[in-house]
Amino acid sequence: MTPKPKRITDIGPPNYEKFLPPVVKRNYGQWKYHEILSPGVLVHVAESGEKLYTVRAASPRLLSVHTIRLFADLADKYCGGYLRFTSRNNVEFLLTDEKQIEPLKGDLAAAGYPVGGTGRTISNIVHTQGWVHCHSSATDASGLVKSMMDGLFPYFAEEKLPAKLRIAVACCLNMCGAVHCSDIAVLGVHRRPPKVRHDILPNVCEVPTLIASCPTGAIRPATVNGKQSVEVIEEQCMYCGNCYTVCPAMPLNDPDNDGISIWVGGKVSNARSTPKFTKLAIPFLPNNPPRWPEVVEAVEKIVTTYAEHAKPFERLGEWIERVGWPRFFQLTGFEFTRYHIDDFKHAGLTFARSAHLKF
Amino acid sequence: MAEQNGKSKTKLLDELEKGPWPSFVREIKKTSDVSPTCDDLLGQLELSYEERKGHWKHGGIVGVMGYGGGVIGRYSDVPEQFPKVAHFHTMRVNQPSGWFYTSDALRTLCGIWERHGSGLTNMHGSTGDIVFLGTKTDELEPTFAELTKAGFDLGGSGSCVRTPSACVGPARCEHACYDTLKLCNDLTHAYQDELHRPPFPYKFKFKCAGCPNDCVAAVARADLSIIGIWKDEIQQDDAAVAEYAAKGLDIQKNVCEQCPSKCMNWDGKKLTIENKDCVRCMHCINAMPKALRPGKERGAAILIGSKAPIVQGALLSSVLIPFVPEAELMETLKELVSRIWEFWDEYGKNRERVGELIQRVGMANFLDAIGLDPAPEMVTAPRDNPYIFFREEAAK
């Protein structure tokens, strides 16, 4: 009998050094400054005087192997086979020959992957799986992103904003994307408590784990038709879906009540102001696939209002803090409702505790 | 499946092939020659678009032998209608630091996924992994064998160390205050066991950002946020400052007046920075990267506790150690992390992130537990309530 080959495990990721282009290896840690040559094109200049040109192209994040091979072929053709992806899922080609920038841009445009997203633009929208692959999504993510970016495309391809603007989509409160700190967050929400499937619950779920999963303590043990199950105290449920993640007998998908909420003014950068959470702008818009026109319209309204009123370098949240939230609602025309007033932990911190008022 | 009797079966999704932004629907359709799952994935997604609800079921424990994570079990809730996606599991593949690749490495990954899965990926998932989207249970081991043979390994899922990630760092950024790519790689390799075999109450994320611009959202998304910073003075090139002014940058209005600590003065010729008042926010450096650069004494601030809302509400990370020199980062982190995990392991509740644990037990108790002294950099202000729980040994 031939011995089984040894199973390889725990080798970790490959070392990044073998994927770095030679120009990066030569100038690693020795970059002096950078400039934006045009939207989507950067030049980094090293202490040595060497230059590295970056061409950033849009990606839908969900990529077929064919498209990845297309990117690989373009990297071979223009930059010695070296490329990278960004934290916002753009693809970046790393060139040393400035003359190759325009031909590469041409090939990318012809293939349908336009260049942009640097500087004072809207870069790619980070997003989650949605209906393509998630169990708890209250909406689709890829379709929302596609619809919004089609509408906002001029802001990706040209520097038309006071500062960068980062949009993120998460299809439920679990927020696999960092939407809680983006300039604009589009968040799928459920609005009704889970419907308990008493018929299958005892077979597929551990009741103590299920009860412990609820952040507001809204789930209690109950006996239904002589079988162990649970009940939901509906007034305490805020539809986070945490119970459904640990127990598939607690589905909360509901076409008429699931939809979209829109949040604004977050940031992760420390530039000027400290990092901030997003705040509620619109509590609910309907799911209206395939193009979500209500959502696209609302996001475009926020972007154009910000572009018109903010000062250079001011991020969306910084602009709103300067002019005040009443003016944000007035300028956008969004309705301020009871849902905009926080009632979770530390809610009082967001009450206006002064007589600083603008009229 | 794309057509039946000359009519498209994905009328709603077809709408999303139009427009200037690259289309995910076209990406899915492109894989029709890779795997038959493509048709049923499109079919089920079209159904979701018609009915306005998702059709996936959570979980089921699937994985590769010896690992407790890296594979997300996914099942259709309409398998009779779409049998080819009845099982449609995701594999998370640990990305190289900074998401750098060669074309050959990408082709290797594509070949593996074409042989064993749907041919669809995410480049990349939210945490940073390469995501292989959709395969059957019996393809998991063969995929894993080919991946490891090619030098790749799975990333994290569940209550484990999640795949660490890093910004582009010193590979292409003049702001990098430490080697984010190396630290990310070293951390990932140091914690392979904790990454593959979930040992914790819940997930634990590391993110390495090279400067306070934080391009990997470490302050918002990592339980341990390692954010590059410098201690000495901003490096200043007066000639380059003058060049920015000559080119039309309003230095008074757009640099000095937007400085949060008002530590800069521009007299029309010379920029003066009161460095001891600087909070290292990066604004002036971002506005004039040719003229201003982080100082030379570089390292990182270590912050703890950020997370998305589930379970007890979203948190941003807060300062734990204001400055660690770059040379001491890895050793400091290893010591710190072992103490944090020991405490979290003992006192954390199921599905309680370390940030929530700190909220529940109090930062002071947490600091006692991990053996760190309190420091004024950790708070925006001292407490404003008088409910001080004095310890017995402090009172007489």
Side-chain angles (χ1 to χ4, degrees):
Chain A
M1 225 175 91
T2 48
K4 265 179 97 175
K6 193 178 173 316
R7 196 162 173 280
I8 308 168
T9 67
D10 299 275
I11 57 170
N15 192 299
Y16 57 96
E17 285 179 24
K18 63 183 186 183
F19 300 134
L20 300 176
V23 59
V24 164
K25 278 194 181 161
R26 286 196 297 276
N27 298 289
Y28 196 85
Q30 300 297 316
W31 298 104
K32 199 172 170 194
Y33 66 91
H34 78 277
E35 288 176 309
I36 300 170
L37 298 179
S38 62
V41 182
L42 305 170
V43 59
H44 284 81
V45 182
E47 299 281 5
S48 67
E50 277 201 279
K51 291 180 178 176
L52 169 66
Y53 301 95
T54 299
V55 174
R56 179 180 294 176
S59 155
R61 185 180 88 134
L62 200 168
L63 291 177
S64 69
V65 290
H66 298 310
T67 301
I68 297 173
R69 286 187 183 120
L70 169 86
F71 293 157
D73 291 345
L74 290 173
D76 283 346
K77 186 172 167 189
Y78 291 106
C79 36
Y82 295 96
L83 70 167
R84 70 177 291 266
F85 293 83
T86 71
S87 57
R88 303 192 77 83
N89 308 314
N90 300 294
V91 58
E92 287 185 339
F93 297 87
L94 306 164
L95 296 83
T96 48
D97 182 359
E98 192 176 5
K99 290 198 272 309
Q100 299 291 345
I101 294 171
E102 286 307 315
L104 170 60
K105 282 171 75 174
D107 279 1
L108 283 164
Y113 302 93
V115 168
T118 54
R120 295 175 293 107
T121 65
I122 296 177
S123 188
N124 205 344
I125 297 180
V126 292
H127 66 279
T128 55
Q129 297 290 13
W131 292 334
V132 174
H133 208 244
C134 185
H135 66 289
S136 61
S137 53
T139 184
D140 189 32
S142 307
L144 269 169
V145 168
K146 167 73 175 146
S147 302
M148 285 190 281
M149 283 313 283
D150 279 341
L152 295 167
F153 187 72
Y155 296 97
F156 172 80
E158 294 165 58
E159 291 195 90
K160 290 158 62 105
L161 293 168
K164 63 179 169 188
L165 189 116
R166 298 291 176 254
I167 307 180
V169 172
C171 46
C172 80
L173 300 187
N174 284 291
M175 284 196 198
C176 310
V179 312
H180 58 300
C181 291
S182 300
D183 292 284
I184 302 177
V186 176
L187 175 67
V189 285
H190 300 286
R191 293 191 300 171
R192 296 305 308 142
K195 298 167 208 72
V196 186
R197 297 264 322 261
H198 299 293
D199 52 333
I200 59 166
L201 192 142
N203 299 329
V204 295
C205 306
E206 258 184 53
V207 170
T209 311
L210 172 56
I211 290 169
S213 75
C214 180
T216 62
I219 301 174
R220 280 195 203 145
T223 305
V224 179
N225 300 328
K227 278 192 193 164
Q228 196 193 20
S229 188
V230 298
E231 65 180 359
V232 178
I233 307 156
E234 300 209 345
E235 312 81 75
Q236 283 182 33
C237 176
M238 49 32 161
Y239 333 112
C240 69
N242 208 26
C243 55
Y244 182 51
T245 303
V246 302
C247 172
M250 306 285 287
L252 75 167
N253 291 341
D254 178 339
D256 294 325
N257 285 301
D258 294 348
I260 310 288
S261 59
I262 295 183
W263 306 68
V264 295
K267 69 197 271 279
V268 291
S269 152
N270 286 273
R272 297 167 306 281
S273 56
T274 54
K276 306 177 202 300
F277 287 130
T278 51
K279 282 98 184 170
L280 184 64
I282 301 177
F284 186 80
L285 291 170
N287 259 328
N288 195 356
R291 281 281 174 183
W292 283 271
E294 297 86 353
V295 176
V296 173
E297 190 190 346
V299 170
E300 286 181 353
K301 181 74 197 174
I302 295 166
V303 171
T304 53
T305 309
Y306 161 67
E308 189 185 339
H309 291 91
K311 292 180 179 173
F313 293 100
E314 220 169 32
R315 295 280 292 268
L316 177 57
E318 294 170 323
W319 164 64
I320 298 174
E321 281 182 9
R322 179 169 59 80
V323 302
W325 286 95
R327 191 164 305 159
F328 170 79
F329 284 95
Q330 180 205 332
L331 288 170
T332 53
F334 300 156
E335 187 189 0
F336 187 84
T337 70
R338 68 189 306 285
Y339 299 121
H340 289 87
I341 301 174
D342 193 3
D343 49 15
F344 197 53
K345 286 185 177 181
H346 317 302
L349 296 174
T350 57
F351 299 166
R353 297 175 295 173
S354 80
H356 287 201
L357 293 163
K358 278 183 189 168
F359 300 101
Chain B
M1 122 111 213
E3 286 190 11
Q4 196 177 46
N5 306 325
K7 278 188 195 156
S8 173
K9 283 175 71 182
T10 53
K11 261 175 65 182
L12 295 172
L13 291 175
D14 292 352
E15 277 298 311
L16 293 171
E17 290 191 78
K18 302 168 188 165
W21 193 252
S23 166
F24 72 102
V25 174
R26 203 172 306 143
E27 293 297 324
I28 299 174
K29 287 187 176 178
K30 276 184 187 176
T31 59
S32 62
D33 62 343
V34 175
S35 161
T37 56
C38 163
D39 286 350
D40 278 4
L41 177 62
L42 280 170
Q44 182 175 311
L45 191 56
E46 180 77 7
L47 184 67
S48 285
Y49 271 59
E50 284 166 5
E51 295 181 346
R52 294 175 293 137
K53 64 182 243 192
H55 279 289
W56 297 105
K57 280 196 294 190
H58 177 65
I61 294 169
V62 289
V64 300
M65 203 170 49
Y67 281 15
V71 180
I72 318 298
R74 196 64 81 218
Y75 303 88
S76 170
D77 75 356
V78 279
E80 305 79 16
Q81 225 173 323
F82 304 105
K84 286 174 256 174
V85 291
H87 298 207
F88 202 65
H89 312 316
T90 290
M91 298 182 85
R92 292 183 181 162
V93 181
N94 200 147
Q95 83 286 2
S97 277
W99 302 285
F100 280 92
Y101 298 94
T102 55
S103 50
D104 286 345
L106 287 180
R107 287 193 192 98
T108 302
L109 291 168
C110 289
I112 294 170
W113 195 229
E114 195 167 53
R115 285 189 286 282
H116 297 291
S118 68
L120 283 172
T121 73
N122 291 147
M123 297 298 275
H124 293 80
S126 290
T127 299
D129 299 277
I130 303 158
V131 173
F132 280 0
L133 210 57
T135 195
K136 293 184 167 48
T137 307
D138 53 10
E139 292 289 353
L140 296 173
E141 273 297 327
T143 313
F144 180 64
E146 283 208 49
L147 279 170
T148 50
K149 210 177 146 202
F152 284 87
D153 198 347
L154 296 187
S157 67
S159 299
C160 68
V161 167
R162 294 297 183 88
T163 308
S165 76
C167 71
V168 72
R172 199 206 48 199
C173 186
E174 67 271 26
H175 305 326
C177 291
Y178 71 95
D179 191 339
T180 54
L181 303 186
K182 182 172 190 311
L183 184 71
C184 176
N185 193 62
D186 289 351
L187 287 169
T188 313
H189 282 274
Y191 298 120
Q192 281 295 294
D193 195 33
E194 289 83 356
L195 197 153
H196 295 306
R197 293 164 200 88
F200 300 136
Y202 203 14
K203 62 182 109 175
F204 193 91
K205 296 187 173 187
F206 290 99
K207 288 194 188 289
C208 307
C211 81
N213 282 330
D214 197 355
C215 291
V216 282
V219 78
R221 310 193 57 194
D223 297 276
L224 210 63
S225 319
I226 303 139
I227 301 178
I229 202 162
W230 67 96
K231 227 179 166 177
D232 55 345
E233 305 194 335
I234 291 175
Q235 301 182 64
Q236 189 174 337
D237 178 342
D238 287 329
V241 174
E243 212 178 296
Y244 276 106
K247 278 187 180 164
L249 179 69
D250 187 336
I251 293 181
Q252 178 58 33
K253 202 167 159 189
N254 291 329
V255 182
C256 297
E257 286 175 20
Q258 298 206 37
C259 168
S261 54
K262 302 283 178 277
C263 72
M264 329 190 83
N265 185 54
W266 169 247
D267 66 5
K269 284 184 195 140
K270 172 137 175 78
L271 182 72
T272 313
I273 305 175
E274 198 60 65
N275 272 279
K276 70 172 179 357
D277 291 334
C278 168
V279 291
R280 289 152 183 84
C281 85
M282 295 298 292
H283 172 69
C284 60
I285 297 175
N286 292 339
M288 301 190 285
K290 238 172 153 168
L292 302 177
R293 305 165 71 187
K296 291 179 174 166
E297 190 185 350
R298 296 181 179 193
I302 299 173
L303 290 79
I304 190 162
S306 75
K307 55 179 289 297
I310 300 295
V311 174
Q312 295 287 345
L315 295 169
L316 288 164
S317 279
S318 68
V319 174
L320 198 57
I321 306 181
F323 185 79
V324 181
E326 176 170 19
E328 297 166 24
L329 260 179
M330 187 62 191
E331 209 175 311
T332 305
L333 283 168
K334 278 175 103 165
E335 175 66 29
L336 184 67
V337 159
S338 73
R339 295 186 200 178
I340 293 169
W341 286 350
E342 197 182 321
F343 181 69
W344 184 38
D345 206 32
E346 188 163 348
Y347 293 98
K349 295 196 282 194
N350 185 35
R351 288 172 71 81
E352 184 175 53
R353 297 279 286 270
V354 73
E356 290 164 328
L357 171 65
I358 293 169
Q359 296 279 315
R360 180 164 62 83
V361 303
M363 180 59 95
N365 288 329
F366 177 72
L367 292 175
D368 285 346
I370 64 167
L372 267 189
D373 289 332
E377 288 86 356
M378 294 173 177
V379 293
T380 54
R383 73 162 71 224
D384 55 15
N385 73 71
Y387 306 127
I388 307 175
F389 295 97
F390 286 106
R391 296 178 148 187
E392 247 179 87
E393 65 265 26
K396 294 253 164 104

